Amino acid sequence: MSKTTVCAVICAAGKGLRTGFEKNKLLIPFMDSTVLEKTLSAFDFPAIDEIVVTASETDLAEITALCEKFKRTSVVLGGEDRSHSVYNALKTAKSDIVLIHDGARPFVTREIIENCVQSVKTQGSGICAIECRDTVAIVKDGKIISVPARDSLR
């Protein structure tokens, strides 16, 4: 039986408009590197066969340079939104399993990554989520119509 291969798609083509930074939030200095480098480091272990990073045209050169030190990593041009960026990455992925990561959460653990891969192998898909700590309100016409229980949200 051949080994199941795994690709991690790291979405880094965003503009980070909501953060108020002057540049892509993944390229902001963070703990002696950048958020993107921390995220790439989390996926840089033997169970991950390839990493595909999406980049905007504006950030393509900088992201490509940052990715050079990570083996098995390639960079593709992102799209007009995240779904188009993921699609561009999927067109180049060669692995049996593809994990999609938003890039902005660099503290994902190897255990979480391995659990997601195992879920795909046993269940056909997987998702990583954390419990919602904020109150979420369902709003219609400017009025709150319901507030779901937090323990049912991720």
Side-chain angles (χ1 to χ4, degrees):
M1 181 191 286
S2 64
K3 174 188 181 285
T4 301
T5 56
V6 180
C7 171
V9 170
I10 309 298
C11 300
K15 295 173 184 63
L17 298 175
R18 290 179 295 164
T19 62
F21 295 134
E22 292 182 20
K23 66 188 291 182
N24 184 334
K25 65 185 173 190
L26 299 183
L27 300 174
I28 298 294
F30 177 71
M31 297 175 61
D32 301 325
S33 62
T34 63
V35 174
L36 178 57
E37 289 169 291
K38 294 291 184 195
T39 299
L40 287 167
S41 293
F43 285 90
D44 189 28
F45 66 100
I48 305 299
D49 299 286
E50 63 176 322
I51 300 172
V52 180
V53 179
T54 65
S56 67
E57 199 166 341
T58 304
D59 299 328
L60 187 61
E62 185 174 358
I63 287 175
T64 299
L66 288 176
C67 289
E68 286 178 356
K69 62 180 147 186
F70 295 95
K71 297 177 184 177
R72 306 175 314 274
T73 301
S74 62
V75 180
V76 299
L77 197 58
E80 60 191 55
D81 57 29
R82 180 167 295 161
S83 64
H84 287 99
S85 293
V86 169
Y87 177 72
N88 290 348
L90 290 173
K91 290 191 294 187
T92 69
K94 299 171 190 74
S95 296
D96 303 308
I97 293 173
V98 178
L99 306 176
I100 312 249
H101 187 277
D102 70 0
R105 286 160 182 79
F107 300 117
V108 61
T109 64
R110 187 175 291 193
E111 179 183 16
I112 289 170
I113 295 165
E114 290 172 338
N115 287 344
C116 283
V117 170
Q118 188 59 37
S119 178
V120 173
K121 288 178 179 179
T122 59
Q123 304 297 320
S125 67
I127 188 166
C128 173
I130 59 171
E131 292 179 1
C132 185
R133 289 176 176 42
D134 298 324
T135 298
V136 175
I138 312 262
V139 178
K140 184 175 181 179
D141 299 324
K143 295 183 180 181
I144 296 173
I145 58 173
S146 70
V147 178
R150 277 182 274 202
D151 62 355
S152 67
L153 301 174
R154 300 292 181 266

